[in-house]
Amino acid sequence: MNWSNTFSPLSLSSSAPLPKLMLTHLESWAVISAVGDDKISYLQGQLTCDLVSLDKQQATFGAHCDAKGKVWSAFRAFYHRDGLAMFQPKSALEKELAELKKYAIFSKVTLEASQDIALGVIGEQASEFIAEFANPDQQVSAFEHGTAVKIDSQRWLLLVSGEFANSLVNDSQAELVSESIWTRLDIENAVPIVHEKQQNEHIPQALNLQALGGICFTKGCYTGQETVARAKYRGINKRALFSLAGNTLENIDNFCEQELERSVGENWRSAGTIMAGYQFNDGHAIALAVLPNNLEPDTQFRLKAQPETQWSIQPLPYSLDDE
């Protein structure tokens, strides 16, 4: 299949409404599939989330950490076909899969990259579109050609066979758009996007995973659990994921390489690196960044490469209280 000429960038201003129905190929995303009798018991000892209590009609956020509690991968997990799927950025997959498989030889579990196609259905008519082949009343709905996962009120993830994806794209009346709109909505929902460059940089709480239901503090031992528990009970975590809005003076090809500076009196100091960003066509932009969690809400920022820009912290769509 050649998807490259099918999906076009969606150029919108920061005040323009989204089209009512869009379809995108999530080509920079990938899925690790876990199958076998021990898939749940094995992953339960590796991941921050509770898979034992995960219903087949539910999805959960989670993270996979190293022994020091630093995150290899942040993902959505859900049942798919005969196993469990972990949906995450493709650039993180190689290292994440190698680390996840380290001790799998002792369990009846096979871990591999899924060959299914990831599509995103977006817009106020997304659930109506999904209802043509899956159950929109379930968060996770299995159907003949794959799995539909409700991401939020206007987004669904489809993990499907190549044949079904091809027919869906060719027959759909949805506007075919590039996946940058998916990134935009992840940013607006303050969902961490851990690419290869962010691997082993942060503990799960610095990515707000406790607020997204991605950490179970009662499930027992897993890799990195000691650090994650200390961050909760001893308050050792000093960072959080922030949503930012500002302006750009020119087009930015890769937000993940952009450094932020924050105002300190009359001076500017390094604040961190942007995790993900999205530009509108009117000069406005939004981004996610892991920053010190004791910043004042009115702290001002700028892009180091564009010092004339102005950025500020935006309210999160959820509480950072992990209780």
Side-chain angles (χ1 to χ4, degrees), residues 40-61:
I40 299 300
S41 60
Y42 178 73
L43 291 177
Q44 186 78 349
Q46 300 292 318
L47 310 178
T48 62
C49 53
D50 183 13
L51 297 179
V52 171
S53 62
L54 183 65
D55 188 273
K56 290 191 175 182
Q57 296 177 4
Q58 295 178 327
T60 182
F61 283 103

Side-chain angles (χ1 to χ4, degrees), residues 170-295:
N170 289 333
D171 299 339
S172 173
Q173 299 301 309
E175 187 169 348
L176 303 180
V177 301
S178 66
E179 64 176 342
S180 62
I181 192 65
W182 188 272
T183 301
R184 169 187 165 178
L185 293 170
D186 269 348
I187 294 170
E188 291 178 349
N189 286 280
V191 174
I193 306 172
V194 179
H195 295 286
E196 181 182 13
K197 290 184 178 180
Q198 287 96 27
Q199 288 179 296
N200 290 106
E201 291 291 325
H202 308 292
I203 65 172
Q205 286 97 324
L207 302 174
N208 299 357
L209 282 168
Q210 79 284 1
L212 293 166
I215 306 174
C216 178
F217 293 100
T218 60
K219 60 173 277 186
C221 295
Y222 56 87
T223 305
Q225 186 230 359
E226 188 174 337
T227 298
V228 177
R230 283 204 308 269
K232 173 179 172 63
Y233 297 111
R234 298 186 183 179
I236 66 169
N237 178 48
K238 303 301 180 183
R239 302 183 76 78
L241 183 67
F242 285 83
S243 177
L244 302 170
N247 68 306
T248 57
L249 304 179
E250 57 189 53
N251 186 59
I252 296 176
D253 293 328
N254 190 351
F255 266 98
C256 294
E257 296 179 354
Q258 295 298 311
E259 293 185 35
L260 282 170
E261 294 182 325
R262 64 184 176 98
S263 175
V264 182
E266 297 182 355
N267 300 312
W268 293 88
R269 294 181 182 174
S270 177
T273 304
I274 289 178
M275 174 174 285
Y278 178 86
Q279 284 180 286
F280 297 93
N281 65 12
D282 56 5
H284 291 281
I286 55 176
L288 293 175
V290 176
L291 304 170
N293 59 14
N294 61 351
L295 292 173

Side-chain angles (χ1 to χ4, degrees), residues 1 8 15 28 33 78 125 128 130 142-143 157 170 198 205 214 244 248 254 268 288:
M1 281 182 297
S8 303
S15 60
S28 68
S33 175
F78 52 90
Q125 296 178 356
E128 182 180 342
I130 293 296
F143 61 100
L157 163 67
N170 289 333
Q198 287 96 27
Q205 286 97 324
L244 302 170
T248 57
N254 190 351
W268 293 88
L288 293 175

